[in-house]
Amino acid sequence: MKYTLIIPAAGQGKRMGAGKNKLFLEMDGKPVIVHTLQQFDMDEQCEKVVLVINMEEKEIFQMYLSTYGIKKHVEYIPGGQERQESVYNGVKHLQDAEYVVVHDGARPFVEKEVTHRVVGASMLTGAAICAVPVKDTIKRVVNEVVQDTVERSSLWSVQTPQAFRLSLLKKAHEYAIREAFVGTDDASLVERLGDKVQVVMGDYYNIKVTTPEDLLISESFLKRK
Ligand SMILES: Nc1ccn([C@@H]2O[C@H](COP(=O)(O)OP(=O)(O)OP(=O)(O)O)[C@@H](O)[C@H]2O)c(=O)n1
Ligand SMILES: C[C@](O)(CO)[C@H](O)COP(=O)(O)O
């Protein structure tokens, strides 16, 4: 069940408001991106990491990976304006991989068990994602007025890792480019091809560090281990 990992890490962290890449912010004294990479460093199924970055930050990433002794083979490639473009740059960089995992650098609490669950499912259907049932009521709102309440029992909050047969993911990205479609996750591109995307249980701890509150939540999560 070997896989190649693409980690999009080229964002600007605008919603975090730190004025820098939020992946360099520290949780328990260690950068977010190091927490994430260490999770995969411990996974013997992960063959190599394609780290998609702002190349102006390459020396910072290299310093962190060296300081924290990341052992996995890491290849750096340039990101794009949107997350989707960053991931596609990673996809184009890969030639020999059969299955690929895409995981946000901003999700430092990924567990190996979840990754393996997603990879295993993707080998059956070609595409698989992890997600957790929504706990809040979700409403569609326009101009601060409720339009409708979305029936909750079929709503899931989608995470990464997302795993794909590489050929399918490449085809999905190329179709999205032709259609000028920008999705917020890679699975949505595969859905637009009409292909099945399998959902497996994720983990409520597998949050994406997006706004300042998430850093406080992350510090408390670190205490649970
Ligand atoms: N052009 C981009 C945008 C995002 N990402 C990465 O995709 C992941 C999820 O994106 P998000 O949480 O939105 O990160 P940012 O784009 O940095 O956040 P913001 O939208 O608040 O600027 C992050 O690891 C981020 O580094 C990326 O590689 N390339
Ligand atoms: C891919 C993702 O993490 C799934 O929930 C999410 O869509 C990324 O969104 P972002 O705005 O690029 O952080």
Side-chain angles (χ1 to χ4, degrees):
M1 192 166 59
K2 299 285 188 187
Y3 63 87
T4 296
L5 176 64
I6 295 174
I7 296 187
Q12 296 176 44
K14 300 189 198 82
R15 288 169 286 179
M16 182 60 77
K20 65 178 184 179
N21 191 335
K22 64 187 177 182
L23 303 184
F24 300 144
L25 298 176
E26 294 189 352
M27 308 178 332
D28 193 26
K30 193 160 56 175
V32 170
I33 189 60
V34 172
H35 284 276
T36 304
L37 285 166
Q38 286 180 331
Q39 295 300 93
F40 291 99
D41 222 18
M42 297 185 283
D43 184 354
E44 65 289 346
Q45 302 300 329
C46 178
E47 289 192 305
K48 76 174 177 180
V49 180
V50 174
L51 196 53
V52 189
I53 63 170
N54 172 346
M55 295 303 270
E56 291 175 7
E57 298 174 344
K58 184 175 180 181
E59 286 181 12
I60 302 173
F61 280 101
Q62 288 175 318
M63 179 271 293
Y64 283 136
L65 271 62
S66 168
T67 301
Y68 290 94
I70 298 297
K71 297 180 293 297
K72 284 290 178 205
H73 173 68
V74 175
E75 296 171 7
Y76 296 94
I77 62 148
Q81 282 303 307
E82 299 291 337
R83 178 188 181 279
Q84 182 171 312
E85 186 183 348
S86 293
V87 173
Y88 184 49
N89 287 352
V91 169
K92 287 185 290 186
H93 178 72
L94 293 176
Q95 303 300 332
D96 53 355
E98 187 177 2
Y99 285 90
V100 63
V101 169
V102 180
H103 182 69
D104 294 329
R107 289 185 184 270
F109 297 106
V110 58
E111 295 290 347
K112 185 162 70 170
E113 293 68 25
V114 174
T115 303
H116 291 177
R117 208 177 295 155
V118 179
V119 173
S122 72
M123 289 181 172
L124 298 174
T125 62
I129 60 174
C130 59
V132 289
V134 164
K135 294 188 272 188
D136 295 319
T137 292
I138 305 295
K139 295 182 187 291
R140 200 179 309 280
V141 176
V142 175
N143 297 328
E144 298 173 344
V145 175
V146 174
Q147 304 304 306
D148 69 325
T149 299
V150 187
E151 201 275 317
R152 186 167 71 185
S153 62
S154 59
L155 286 184
W156 289 65
S157 182
V158 173
Q159 305 173 338
T160 65
Q162 301 191 355
F164 307 89
R165 190 172 56 247
L166 179 60
S167 58
L168 176 58
L169 183 60
K170 189 168 188 290
K171 179 182 170 190
H173 271 268
E174 290 167 350
Y175 180 64
I177 291 167
R178 285 199 302 277
E179 297 278 304
F181 174 77
V182 179
T184 53
D185 77 339
D186 296 280
S188 59
L189 312 187
V190 173
E191 293 156 36
R192 284 173 59 84
L193 289 177
D195 283 69
K196 178 181 174 184
V197 175
Q198 184 69 39
V199 181
V200 301
M201 188 57 72
D203 183 342
Y204 284 110
Y205 285 109
N206 182 25
I207 65 169
K208 182 163 65 74
V209 177
T210 307
T211 56
E213 302 82 3
D214 297 326
L215 279 177
L216 295 175
I217 293 167
S218 299
E219 293 285 356
S220 66
F221 282 3
L222 289 171
K223 295 187 175 76
R224 84 186 203 277
K225 291 192 176 183

